[in-house]
């Protein structure tokens, strides 16, 4: 029977090349590989994935995940499964972290600009959000230090250290160290949202925040959404044993058992079959070629108008338009021309980013990317 209820988070409007959503390409979902892993899981005849799971996460999954992470160039070479915790995706992990590390009315810090849903998540916890400036080397830790010296007392700082959403920039090593020092000196947690960490185009992607931690300050959030499939709703936290125990002992975790236990048992098989490694390397290849196409089209159609840095990984181009441009206002003209994007001010409550907009290169095929950028340029010429 037909239903008028939606099936997906986003239904792209017909006729629009929507470069606004940060979603993976449906063509690249590893359907056959997930099917093979499901069969393997069921053939084992073990029905424990259907039971409530261990609060830290399904042990065999945590072991396989630790082995997988340890062999990634862009990760640490010795991840201990005891330092991992299963989540139902980075969003869920961050929401629980906000519950555990802050009370209503507390001050928390975000980068400016930042992931557009995070401020909403923190508002739902009635937190007081303060933005910290960023530049091409990530968060400005000197500006942060000045605010801390002047009495700012946050409970935590939320950062996307590598291939930031929306800017694509990564925090350099000096600032990573500085950030951890500040967190220790002023006693706040660092929520490092590292969902793009493993999809860098170069071998020399920045090393994750956990490698700079010398105490209990860094809580790293990883996700299978960007490296396998977001519909699986599974991710992980990597942190010190003290932090992992806090998440494992949370009332929510204890009530329902480990998050997304069933999906994690399936992902364990995907990892053990070697399909996660091959998927990650395929995604990196495909995304790089789409980013190259977007870069080519931007210089062909909007050269001399927009400025940006070519991304070294992740999902996005962060475009700066000439002074006086307003990406909120321009959105209507762009959509009338059959293309969409995410306006800069969606990424900050400060309203400072009218001159910017974000384009995603992962969801659409290269030919559609070229056509989308052409449409954007036509709409721009008409304003
Ligand atoms: C920075 C960032 N964090 C978290 C998420 C969502 O992650 P998950 O699907 O694991 O909840 C996204 C998705 O776009 C993101 O860009």
């Amino acid at each position: 029977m037909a239903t008028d209820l939606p099936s997906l988070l986003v239904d792209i409007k017909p006729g629009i090349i929507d470069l606004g959503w940060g979603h993976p390409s449906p063509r690249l979902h590893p359907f056959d590989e997930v099917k093979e892993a499901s069969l393997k899981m069921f053939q084992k005849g073990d029905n424990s994935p259907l039971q409530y799971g261990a609060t830290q996460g399904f042990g065999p999954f945590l072991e396989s995940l630790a082995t997988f992470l340890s062999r990634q160039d862009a990760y640490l070479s010795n991840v201990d499964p005891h330092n991992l915790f299963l989540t139902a995706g980075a969003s869920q992990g961050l929401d629980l972290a906000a519950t555990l590390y802050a009370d209503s009315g507390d001050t928390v810090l975000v980068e400016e600009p930042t992931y557009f849903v995070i401020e909403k998540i923190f508002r739902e916890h009635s937190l007081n959000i303060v933005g910290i400036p960023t530049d091409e080397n990530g968060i400005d830790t000197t500006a942060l230090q000045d605010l801390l010296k002047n009495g700012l007392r946050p409970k935590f700082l939320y950062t996307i250290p590598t291939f930031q959403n929306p800017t694509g920039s990564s925090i350099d090593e000096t600032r990573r160290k500085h950030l951890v020092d500040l967190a220790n000196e002023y006693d706040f947690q660092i929520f490092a949202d590292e969902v793009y960490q493993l999809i860098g185009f170069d071998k020399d992607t920045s090393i994750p925040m956990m490698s700079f931690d010398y105490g209990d300050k860094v809580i790293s959030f990883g996700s299978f959404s960007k490296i396998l499939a977001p519909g699986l709703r599974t991710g992980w936290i990597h942190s010190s044993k003290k932090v992992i125990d806090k998440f494992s002992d949370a009332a929510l975790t204890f009530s329902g058992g480990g998050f997304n236990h069933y999906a994690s048992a399936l992902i364990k098989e995907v990892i053990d079959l070697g399909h996660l490694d091959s998927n990650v390397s395929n995604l990196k290849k495909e995304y790089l070629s789409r980013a190259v196409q977007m870069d080519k089209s931007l210089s062909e159609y909007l050269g001399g108008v927009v400025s940006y840095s070519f991304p070294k990984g992740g999902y996005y181009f962060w475009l700066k338009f000439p002074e006086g441009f307003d990406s909120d206002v321009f959105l209507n003209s762009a959509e009338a021309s059959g293309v969409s994007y995410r306006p800069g001010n969606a990424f900050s409550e400060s309203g400072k980013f009218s001159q910017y907009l974000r384009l995603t290169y992962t969801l659409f095929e290269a030919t559609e990317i070229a056509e989308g950028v052409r449409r954007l340029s036509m709409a721009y010429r008409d304003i």
Side-chain angles (χ1 to χ4, degrees):
M1 199 178 77
T3 175
D4 59 354
L5 296 170
S7 308
L8 299 177
L9 177 60
V10 179
D11 278 324
I12 304 288
K13 290 183 213 152
I16 300 261
I17 298 175
D18 192 338
L19 303 173
W21 289 100
H23 292 189
S25 155
R27 184 175 69 73
L28 300 178
H29 290 327
F31 190 82
D32 291 338
E33 289 78 0
V34 172
K35 184 172 161 190
E36 185 190 347
S38 305
L39 289 174
K40 190 176 161 215
M41 184 176 80
F42 281 111
Q43 275 161 1
K44 283 184 171 169
D46 170 14
N47 70 7
S48 63
L50 300 179
Q51 184 55 283
Y52 281 111
T55 54
Q56 187 184 340
F58 184 48
F61 159 79
L62 297 174
E63 297 273 355
S64 291
L65 175 60
T67 309
F68 166 78
L69 290 173
S70 301
R71 64 175 173 251
Q72 303 309 305
D73 289 335
Y75 217 82
L76 310 179
S77 55
N78 56 346
V79 179
D80 183 333
H82 298 93
N83 292 111
L84 298 173
F85 173 83
L86 170 65
T87 67
S91 313
Q92 184 269 333
L94 284 157
D95 188 77
L96 180 56
T99 303
L100 296 177
Y101 284 94
D103 295 316
S104 127
D106 280 342
T107 294
V108 301
L109 311 179
V110 298
E111 292 163 334
E112 206 164 66
T114 189
Y115 172 44
F116 79 105
V117 197
I118 205 69
E119 293 185 328
K120 182 165 162 51
I121 292 179
F122 295 157
R123 289 248 172 270
E124 287 180 358
H125 288 267
S126 304
L127 300 175
N128 169 39
I129 303 166
V130 174
I132 307 295
T134 59
D135 59 26
E136 63 284 1
N137 294 318
I139 188 161
D140 180 347
T141 52
T142 308
L144 170 62
Q145 185 170 28
D146 290 345
L147 289 166
L148 293 165
K149 274 187 185 156
N150 287 328
L152 187 73
R153 288 294 172 268
K155 283 293 173 65
F156 62 80
L157 174 140
Y158 169 82
T159 169
I160 307 159
T162 306
F163 314 135
Q164 208 249 17
N165 178 1
T167 64
S169 65
S170 298
I171 309 182
D172 67 25
E173 212 170 302
T174 313
R175 287 186 180 183
R176 284 178 192 243
K177 285 188 189 130
H178 193 196
L179 200 51
V180 173
D181 285 344
L182 291 173
N184 279 288
E185 189 177 345
Y186 291 95
D187 194 24
F188 59 88
Q189 299 297 138
I190 297 171
F191 291 2
D193 184 341
E194 299 189 299
V195 297
Y196 300 105
Q197 179 70 32
L198 299 177
I199 46 171
F201 303 144
D202 296 337
K203 272 219 156 213
D204 61 346
T205 297
S206 331
I207 30 180
M209 284 302 294
M210 270 303 284
S211 64
F212 298 92
D213 199 18
Y214 44 83
D216 306 312
K217 293 303 181 206
V218 175
I219 308 177
S220 167
F221 298 82
S223 176
F224 292 97
S225 294
K226 309 295 181 193
I227 58 172
L228 188 61
L232 292 168
R233 302 306 319 132
T234 308
W236 68 91
I237 284 171
H238 183 194
S239 193
S240 67
K241 190 72 183 85
K242 181 176 162 196
V243 168
I244 296 299
D245 286 347
K246 191 170 169 88
F247 280 88
S248 304
D249 292 342
L252 179 66
T253 320
F254 186 47
S255 175
F259 298 105
N260 224 338
H261 172 64
Y262 176 86
S264 76
L266 171 60
I267 294 171
K268 177 207 152 35
E269 302 301 341
V270 173
I271 296 174
D272 293 355
L273 285 164
H275 293 330
L276 189 58
D277 294 79
S278 55
N279 198 55
V280 169
S281 71
N282 186 42
L283 290 179
K284 289 200 273 199
K285 213 171 64 222
E286 286 270 354
Y287 291 165
L288 175 59
S289 80
R290 291 173 192 214
V292 166
Q293 177 63 63
M294 189 167 268
D295 182 40
K296 205 169 137 225
S297 302
L298 285 168
S299 54
E300 182 176 349
Y301 297 116
L302 284 166
V305 175
V306 292
S307 54
Y308 56 88
S309 299
F310 186 83
K312 294 195 170 131
Y315 268 38
Y316 311 107
F317 276 74
W318 181 237
L319 306 185
K320 184 174 187 191
F321 279 72
E323 235 179 285
F325 176 80
D326 186 333
S327 58
D328 287 305
V329 174
F330 179 55
L331 190 59
N332 280 336
S333 330
E335 290 195 345
S337 300
V339 63
S340 195
Y341 60 81
R342 185 75 59 185
N345 283 334
F347 303 97
S348 168
E349 292 177 351
S350 70
K352 284 182 198 161
F353 295 96
S354 309
Q355 253 179 281
Y356 293 82
L357 61 85
R358 189 196 74 179
L359 300 181
T360 305
Y361 52 82
T362 53
L363 180 57
F364 285 90
E365 302 294 319
T367 48
E368 296 165 306
I369 290 172
E371 175 58 14
V373 174
R374 191 190 68 81
R375 291 181 191 179
L376 197 68
S377 72
M378 298 309 286
Y380 182 75
R381 310 262 170 236
D382 285 346
I383 55 172

